[in-house]
Amino acid sequence: MTGGHGAVAAGHELTVAAAKQALAAGGTAVDAAVAAAWMACVAEPVLASPGGGGFAMVGAAGETPVLCDFFAQTPKWRNPQAVFGAAGCDFGDATQVFHVGHGSTATPGFVPGLFALHERFGRLPMAALIGPAAQAAARGFTVTPFQEYLMGVVESILGHSASARRVFLPRGRLPKAGERFANPDLAAFLRLLAGGGLAAHAEDVIPRILGQQRAAGHLRDDDVADYAVAWRAPLRVQRGDGVVWLNPPPAAGGVMIALALAALDEAGMRDCPAGAMAAALAAADD
């Protein structure tokens, strides 16, 4: 979407539509991003989940941005009885093994993170930002060819437990392109948040998660009680006349990007095409 209020890029048309709707209603860029994040949990469930976490860089032109860190937090204690499995996923030219089961669960930051972003930078009511996602989860939407492919890649994860199979393999198989896919449980969860906010999440959702974790996972009450969204000063990297703002420690991604940019400068490749840069970095790693 382009126009007088901004631009939106996302992995599914429903995600884009949710952000556009927020902008059209007079929302901020953060309102649009929050609405898109809720919808991504519905329309892009392999890539986004309320049980995960994330980062958000927010800033106006000419101002130093701020980094919102709501990444999932590793549990503090180890439960020897935790259920912990492995699921291999074939990407065609590479195979990756993911850890799955209750023992792979970290303290989720997604929900408190979106509420923190909204409290600081939002303008529209949170219920209005959650509403489109709740409606889409309840009524379902048409699966795209890319979704069919992506779910197929991670089928071993989506089919790992009976509860996951009930959501993602309702016909005994994954949904195919052109078929409808709905998630009534996710719709109920989103409506709970829309009506009760963070209090409902803490009083209803978190106790259920901890109830499962006590027997088969590592999370305990203090993991959740001590979790806090962190606001950080971003990592600043000067590039010629411009500045690149990156995710700071304790996250490693921003530092890795900064080191890669420094390596390109040392090799005299600052102005080389992106493909040549990638090839040079790959050769350096070898």
Side-chain angles (χ1 to χ4, degrees):
M1 174 261 187
T2 59
H5 292 90
V8 177
H12 193 280
E13 62 182 6
L14 286 177
T15 311
V16 172
K20 287 176 61 177
Q21 182 174 330
L23 292 176
T28 66
V30 169
D31 283 324
V34 168
W38 293 124
M39 184 63 82
C41 295
V42 177
E44 305 174 62
V46 175
L47 305 175
S49 166
F55 304 94
M57 187 88 74
V58 184
E63 297 180 3
T64 300
V66 63
L67 190 286
C68 183
D69 180 348
F70 54 100
F71 200 65
Q73 180 64 48
T74 304
K76 299 176 182 178
W77 312 105
R78 179 177 180 272
N79 175 11
Q81 306 304 317
V83 177
F84 199 72
C89 299
D90 187 358
F91 290 86
D93 56 355
T95 299
Q96 184 172 354
V97 176
F98 292 87
H99 296 115
V100 297
H102 289 299
S104 67
T105 302
T107 307
F110 188 94
V111 172
L114 294 194
F115 273 87
L117 282 165
H118 177 261
E119 180 180 9
R120 183 164 177 177
F121 296 108
R123 182 182 300 150
L124 302 177
M126 179 61 93
L129 305 179
I130 297 175
Q135 293 174 10
R139 68 173 179 256
F141 59 91
T142 303
V143 174
T144 66
F146 176 72
Q147 286 177 310
E148 178 184 353
Y149 160 75
L150 193 57
M151 286 192 283
V153 169
V154 297
E155 182 173 5
S156 59
I157 297 175
L158 301 181
H160 179 73
S161 66
S163 58
R165 289 192 295 273
R166 181 170 59 82
V167 174
F168 293 102
L169 288 79
R171 305 175 179 87
R173 58 168 176 78
L174 293 171
K176 298 183 180 297
E179 294 180 344
R180 300 287 291 178
F181 176 69
N183 193 336
D185 290 343
L186 180 57
F189 166 80
L190 292 170
R191 286 169 177 158
L192 177 71
L193 291 184
L198 275 179
H201 187 253
E203 296 167 6
D204 189 299
V205 178
I206 292 299
R208 282 188 279 170
I209 293 175
L210 291 174
Q212 297 172 334
Q213 286 288 301
R214 289 186 182 93
H218 301 289
L219 286 183
R220 295 297 178 263
D221 292 22
D222 58 342
D223 288 303
V224 176
D226 294 342
Y227 183 86
V229 174
W231 295 95
R232 307 188 191 281
L235 182 63
R236 184 183 189 277
V237 177
Q238 188 74 39
R239 296 288 292 168
D241 295 332
V243 174
V244 180
W245 299 102
L246 300 170
N247 197 356
V255 174
M256 294 175 65
I257 294 172
L259 291 173
L261 292 173
L264 291 172
D265 288 346
E266 292 176 5
M269 300 183 65
R270 172 176 292 189
D271 298 322
C272 289
M277 288 184 179
L281 287 173
D285 287 342
D286 294 338

